[in-house]
Amino acid sequence: MPKSKSNRGALLLDNLPQLQGLIKRDPDGYKDEFIQQYNHYQSQMKIFQLQPNSDLDKFSDLVGFIAQVASCYPKETAEFPAQLSSLIIEYHNHLTPDTRKTLVQSLVLLRNRQVIPSIDLLKVLFQLLPITTSATLRSYIRNVILTDIKLANQRSKNHKLNRVVQALLFSMVERGMDAEVQSTKSKAKKSQDSSFATKAGAEAMWAVMLTRELWKKGVWNDAKTVSIVALACFHPTAKVQNAAVHFFLGSDDAIEESEDEGEDIDMKKVQHQALINKSRKSVDKKVAKQKKAAKKQQANKDNASTPNFPALQLLNDPQGFSEKLFESLTKTDKVHSLDHRVLVMQLLTRVMGAHKLCVLSFYSYVIKYLTHHQLRITLILVAIAQSVHELTPPDVLTPVIRKLAHEFVTPGVGSEVVAAGLNAITEICRRQPWAMESDLLEDLIEYRKSADKGVLTASRGLLQLFREVNPGMLKRKERGKLASMGLSSGKEVLKYGQSGEAASGIEGLDLLEKHLADKDNEGEGDEEDEEKAWDDWDVESGDESSESEGWVNVSDDDDDEINLSDSDDEDSKKKKKEKKDSEEQAEKATDEPREESTDDAIQRLSTLATERILTPADFALLNDLKMKAVQDEIDQGGGAAAKRKMAQLKEKRKAQGSGADGDDEGQFVTEAEIIGPRKRAKNDYEARMESINQGREGREKFSSRKGKHKSEKIASKTNEEKKRNKPMMMAIHSKKVKSKSQSKLIDKQKALHKHKEKQRKKGF
């Protein structure tokens, strides 16, 4: 007997998945059942608003059901997305974790079904991200935001969405700028505004994280993105400021670091506590965790990060940014930890070096840190060196060099300290040689007679530098052959503010021209290669109309439609005649021998740049060709100048993201250049593993080379094997067994304690 319609409706009300499938196949036929379920949802919503702590039975199932079929009834569910958004924001603390996740997933489903626009979804998710306490939900929201923005900009830049999202992120950072500065040395005291500061810090932190991810994925690469992180560099919350600074320094692990960056893990203390305390699983687990954290912390400190050159170049008002950053550094000098201050110094000096800025108060501020026992002194020396450029006034650098010489280059310190001081002075003088005094230089180059290799190399490097830049400050016997010949020939030393690079063309362009000529002779060059050279280098303009309109292609057939006047014909004939006469004169001139002038050389070298548009791939190839030429010069005995040039070219290759030819990276210094060469540097993990694997060759795993089982020829048994097979009656009369049986109780206790200690160290 068939069931009635009322019975069928009752069954469908209890089975939402079945009703969902039927509605998708026939929305009009099951509209009444949907209205009934939607009214049930509305009643439960009102009950929850009156009593937020009430338990809503099957509310999550109803929300998921309506979200699935909302696209079938757009008029009836017009207010449904707004209700979900207000519910999850206003009553977030009263909802269960499962209900929160269901509401967020429902909003994402409505966005995927094109029920709500992407901007409405992102506005809700940005508000929800800082206040949620579930790590799973935070990760889900973060992935949804990044994926949605990435897909929106996949084919072309969605400028409307990007402007709205960037404005939201900028407001998230700006909202907490007036809060009280939070210290990194100790936990902030609780106050009335502590909750607001915590919430504002969380919002700003998520804004920096999302901006960093979108920049890293290549979705955003404009100045507005950089301005968001630049504002976060002045945030009162130390963790937000650290994350923003690390964005410009190029470090990816900064956001995952703990909030108390200044508190280093003392491994000696941890190992001592593990030794004296009773061995437990919880204690061993805690020690292992601290060891892992200390190893990661040390790796982050030792790693020299590559600066984010494109972001540094896109800074708006770099001079104002640097001055404001220095002001923030001096105001919070006693509030933040040393690691935090050094981090800000690194960013400040990199901006100064990239844009050739002068913040003169920085050098008087940093002098107090220039002591050989100062923590993080190598990073501070790196920061000072990379802040100097040819436009830095020498009089502000002279006290810094004097302080370095007095504190580091002195007989009362170790050889590594002397080498670091000499290397730091060399890097400063390489950028501004007029900051050095002749008397001080004479004392410093005397260390080239030192027995220590690092000190000797550093002093010789300083001597070689002044032989090139200003040999007049050296004595005649110390100048060398080339420098003496240059002085005798009247070669002038560059004065303050002068640049040795003449703007006559692109350096090494003749190498590229020769390479392309050889390639054309071999028949490998064609138009397709030139088109491929622009792949992955396209820069989209910010004008949407230009993308829609595009370029107007003009074919060769259109030449017939262009009407020229009589005057144009006369001018063209006149030009052709003049060109023909000049060609005849050039042919006659080729028969006569003449010397090539400087203008002719410049014209010959710049021919390629005037006849062809150089692609970014051409500039990358030009850098490789220059490296090859410099390597040939080194092989032929080019000296230290060629080696320094090779190092600069290698740095340019690493930082090619800053521009086509990468002109910013030679300004920066690494920590290894300050420390200098050591007698015996510690091998890294790869080198140690390679040495271990070399020792394992010729034997199986978990076996040794001892014994006859590894020898092809017949050999006798080892002493261990003989002891193992010795008869018991003979073994009990051995000296070892007798001494063990006749030993005293205290000796047995000592042996037992030694055995336990050995087993504990092995991990048993």
Side-chain angles (χ1 to χ4, degrees):
M1 183 176 180
K3 296 181 179 179
S4 63
K5 187 177 180 179
S6 60
N7 293 334
R8 186 194 69 173
L11 291 174
L12 289 177
L13 292 178
D14 295 334
N15 193 351
L16 293 179
Q18 183 182 2
L19 179 59
Q20 173 183 324
L22 294 172
I23 288 176
K24 288 182 179 180
R25 287 194 290 268
D26 186 12
D28 296 333
Y30 293 90
K31 186 175 182 180
D32 295 336
E33 286 80 358
F34 171 75
I35 295 297
Q36 190 173 359
Q37 293 291 342
Y38 192 72
N39 292 333
H40 183 41
Y41 153 76
Q42 294 281 10
S43 62
Q44 290 211 4
M45 174 73 76
K46 292 179 180 178
I47 293 173
F48 180 76
Q49 290 176 351
L50 294 174
Q51 299 178 356
N53 295 325
S54 61
D55 187 14
L56 299 181
D57 188 22
K58 297 184 179 180
F59 181 73
S60 300
D61 297 337
L62 274 174
V63 171
F65 164 74
I66 297 173
Q68 287 284 348
V69 298
S71 58
C72 300
Y73 309 101
K75 293 183 180 180
E76 288 78 5
T77 60
E79 299 179 357
F80 177 68
Q83 291 175 353
L84 290 185
S85 302
S86 61
L87 178 65
I88 195 171
I89 296 298
E90 296 177 8
Y91 301 96
H92 179 270
N93 296 329
H94 301 284
L95 297 173
T96 61
D98 294 336
T99 307
R100 294 176 199 163
K101 188 174 181 181
T102 303
L103 295 176
V104 174
Q105 290 176 343
S106 300
L107 287 173
V108 175
L109 181 61
L110 293 174
R111 164 69 185 96
N112 296 336
R113 301 285 174 85
Q114 304 298 326
V115 177
I116 59 174
S118 178
I119 295 176
D120 293 346
L121 173 64
L122 292 176
K123 285 181 179 179
V124 176
L125 296 182
F126 279 133
Q127 296 180 46
L128 183 62
L129 193 57
I131 61 177
T132 183
T133 56
S134 173
T136 307
L137 185 58
R138 279 200 306 266
S139 178
Y140 176 73
I141 294 174
R142 175 176 171 272
N143 292 333
V144 168
I145 293 173
L146 295 176
T147 305
D148 191 77
I149 298 175
K150 184 178 179 181
L151 292 176
N153 293 272
Q154 191 170 14
R155 293 186 178 180
S156 63
K157 294 290 184 182
N158 192 339
H159 298 286
K160 182 179 179 181
L161 176 65
N162 291 341
R163 283 195 295 268
V164 174
V165 175
Q166 287 171 350
L168 286 174
L169 295 175
F170 194 87
S171 62
M172 290 172 66
V173 177
E174 195 176 23
R175 199 172 294 128
M177 294 298 294
D178 297 333
E180 186 180 355
V181 177
Q182 295 183 10
S183 173
T184 56
K185 295 181 180 179
S186 60
K187 295 183 179 180
K189 297 180 180 179
K190 293 184 178 180
S191 61
Q192 296 179 355
D193 300 333
S194 61
S195 59
F196 170 76
T198 304
K199 183 181 178 182
E203 286 183 352
M205 190 66 192
W206 278 110
V208 174
M209 288 181 65
L210 294 173
T211 306
R212 185 200 69 157
E213 289 295 327
L214 292 170
W215 177 277
K216 187 178 178 182
K217 294 178 183 295
V219 181
W220 288 352
N221 51 8
D222 55 350
K224 293 181 181 178
T225 309
V226 178
S227 64
I228 296 172
V229 190
L231 179 63
C233 290
F234 312 110
H235 200 276
T237 305
K239 191 175 181 181
V240 178
Q241 192 176 12
N242 282 343
V245 171
H246 275 287
F247 169 79
F248 290 104
L249 298 181
S251 177
D252 294 334
D253 300 329
I255 294 181
E256 299 175 3
E257 291 179 1
S258 62
E259 198 165 349
D260 301 327
E261 260 192 340
E263 298 179 1
D264 296 337
I265 300 176
D266 190 357
M267 284 309 303
K268 291 184 178 180
K269 183 178 179 181
V270 172
Q271 292 174 356
H272 178 69
Q273 289 178 350
L275 184 64
I276 61 177
N277 294 337
K278 189 174 181 180
S279 179
R280 295 189 183 92
K281 287 186 178 181
S282 59
V283 176
D284 296 341
K285 188 176 180 180
K286 184 179 179 181
V287 171
K289 186 177 180 180
Q290 288 178 328
K291 285 183 179 180
K292 186 177 179 180
K295 188 176 181 181
K296 183 178 178 181
Q297 191 180 48
Q298 188 63 33
N300 290 334
K301 290 175 183 177
D302 295 340
N303 255 351
S305 57
T306 304
N308 193 348
F309 291 106
L312 291 175
Q313 294 298 331
L314 289 174
L315 277 172
N316 183 26
D317 187 15
Q319 181 68 39
F321 176 81
S322 301
E323 292 176 355
K324 192 175 180 181
L325 195 64
F326 177 70
E327 183 181 358
S328 172
L329 177 64
T330 53
K331 282 185 177 180
T332 60
D333 190 23
K334 297 181 180 179
V335 178
H336 293 312
S337 63
L338 176 64
D339 285 344
H340 182 85
R341 281 174 279 162
V342 171
L343 207 61
V344 177
M345 285 184 201
Q346 286 181 301
L347 175 59
L348 172 62
T349 55
R350 282 180 179 172
V351 175
M352 291 169 62
H355 295 274
K356 299 188 184 304
L357 308 176
C358 293
V359 183
L360 304 182
S361 302
F362 168 73
Y363 301 102
S364 58
Y365 165 81
V366 81
I367 282 182
K368 65 181 181 180
Y369 292 99
L370 299 182
T371 56
H372 64 273
H373 52 77
Q374 173 68 53
L375 296 175
R376 310 287 180 265
I377 184 59
T378 52
L379 294 176
I380 296 174
L381 294 178
V382 166
I384 296 174
Q386 68 189 3
S387 69
V388 182
H389 48 85
E390 64 269 15
L391 300 180
T392 305
D395 53 348
V396 300
L397 295 175
T398 303
V400 176
I401 294 178
R402 284 192 200 137
K403 180 74 172 179
L404 288 173
H406 178 72
E407 290 288 338
F408 291 83
V409 191
T410 178
V413 296
S415 58
E416 293 182 356
V417 177
V418 177
L422 287 171
N423 287 327
I425 294 173
T426 303
E427 293 298 331
I428 294 174
C429 294
R430 177 171 287 118
R431 290 154 176 80
Q432 185 51 270
W434 290 103
M436 175 60 72
E437 297 173 327
S438 57
D439 297 339
L440 180 60
L441 177 62
E442 184 179 350
D443 295 338
L444 295 178
I445 61 177
E446 288 296 326
Y447 280 86
R448 69 185 187 276
K449 302 174 184 178
S450 174
D452 186 79
K453 182 180 179 181
V455 177
L456 180 144
T457 306
S459 182
R460 285 183 178 178
L462 182 61
L463 175 63
Q464 184 64 30
L465 171 65
F466 276 90
R467 283 178 177 175
E468 297 174 5
V469 297
N470 193 358
M473 296 183 66
L474 301 171
K475 293 181 180 180
R476 179 172 296 181
K477 63 179 181 179
E478 296 166 348
R479 292 172 184 171
K481 181 179 178 181
L482 297 177
S484 300
M485 292 173 62
L487 286 177
S488 61
S489 62
K491 183 179 179 181
E492 296 183 359
V493 180
L494 294 176
K495 297 181 180 179
Y496 168 64
Q498 290 183 347
S499 177
E501 299 178 358
S504 59
I506 302 175
E507 182 185 359
L509 192 62
D510 54 337
L511 299 174
L512 181 61
E513 189 174 3
K514 183 180 178 182
H515 174 78
L516 295 176
D518 296 340
K519 193 174 182 181
D520 292 338
N521 294 333
E522 296 175 1
E524 297 179 1
D526 52 6
E527 295 181 358
E528 294 181 359
D529 293 341
E530 188 172 355
E531 292 179 0
K532 291 180 180 179
W534 287 99
D535 292 346
D536 300 330
W537 297 91
D538 295 336
V539 179
E540 300 185 13
S541 63
D543 190 3
E544 297 178 4
S545 61
S546 63
E547 296 177 1
S548 60
E549 295 174 2
W551 290 93
V552 179
N553 296 323
V554 181
S555 61
D556 297 335
D557 299 336
D558 297 336
D559 295 340
D560 300 336
E561 301 176 2
I562 302 174
N563 296 323
L564 300 175
S565 63
D566 296 337
S567 60
D568 293 337
D569 292 336
E570 293 176 359
D571 293 340
S572 62
K573 290 179 181 178
K574 187 177 180 180
K575 290 180 180 179
K576 288 181 180 179
K577 186 177 180 181
E578 292 177 355
K579 184 178 180 182
K580 186 176 181 181
D581 295 340
S582 62
E583 289 178 354
E584 291 177 357
Q585 293 177 2
E587 290 178 358
K588 294 178 182 179
T590 52
D591 300 334
E592 301 177 2
R594 64 183 181 89
E595 295 182 358
E596 187 179 28
S597 63
T598 307
D599 296 336
D600 296 334
I602 295 174
Q603 180 67 26
R604 179 176 56 81
L605 291 176
S606 61
T607 302
L608 183 64
T610 56
E611 294 179 352
R612 170 176 174 165
I613 298 176
L614 297 180
T615 64
D618 290 335
F619 282 107
L621 177 61
L622 178 60
N623 194 29
D624 294 338
L625 294 174
K626 287 193 289 187
M627 288 181 63
K628 185 178 179 181
V630 175
Q631 185 62 44
D632 295 339
E633 185 181 353
I634 293 174
D635 296 338
Q636 296 174 3
K643 292 179 180 179
R644 282 197 298 271
K645 192 173 182 181
M646 173 61 74
Q648 291 178 0
L649 291 174
K650 287 182 179 179
E651 290 295 327
K652 286 183 180 181
R653 174 185 284 179
K654 292 179 182 178
Q656 236 167 10
S658 61
D661 53 351
D663 291 333
D664 306 323
E665 53 288 342
Q667 192 69 30
F668 300 100
V669 191
T670 61
E671 196 173 359
E673 294 175 358
I674 296 296
I675 297 175
R678 295 183 179 181
K679 291 183 179 179
R680 186 178 180 182
K682 186 178 180 181
N683 293 333
D684 55 359
Y685 177 77
E686 289 76 11
R688 293 197 300 270
M689 290 304 299
E690 184 180 357
S691 176
I692 292 171
N693 292 330
Q694 288 178 358
R696 290 176 177 174
E697 293 178 357
R699 63 183 178 90
E700 297 178 359
K701 193 175 182 181
F702 305 118
S703 61
S704 64
R705 294 191 180 93
K706 293 183 178 180
K708 62 181 180 180
H709 57 278
K710 298 303 292 181
S711 178
E712 296 180 357
K713 58 184 181 180
I714 301 174
S716 60
K717 294 182 179 180
T718 62
N719 292 335
E720 295 295 331
E721 290 176 340
K722 290 178 181 178
K723 289 180 181 179
R724 207 176 297 126
N725 299 327
K726 197 171 185 179
M728 181 60 66
M729 297 304 296
M730 295 180 64
I732 59 176
H733 296 290
S734 64
K735 184 178 180 181
K736 186 176 181 180
V737 175
K738 285 184 177 181
S739 61
K740 188 176 180 180
S741 61
Q742 296 175 0
S743 60
K744 298 178 182 179
L745 180 60
I746 189 172
D747 295 335
K748 291 182 179 180
Q749 290 177 347
K750 288 181 180 180
L752 181 60
H753 179 71
K754 188 176 180 181
H755 172 71
K756 286 183 177 180
E757 183 67 17
K758 189 175 181 181
Q759 295 295 105
R760 188 189 67 79
K761 289 182 179 180
K762 288 183 178 180
F764 295 111

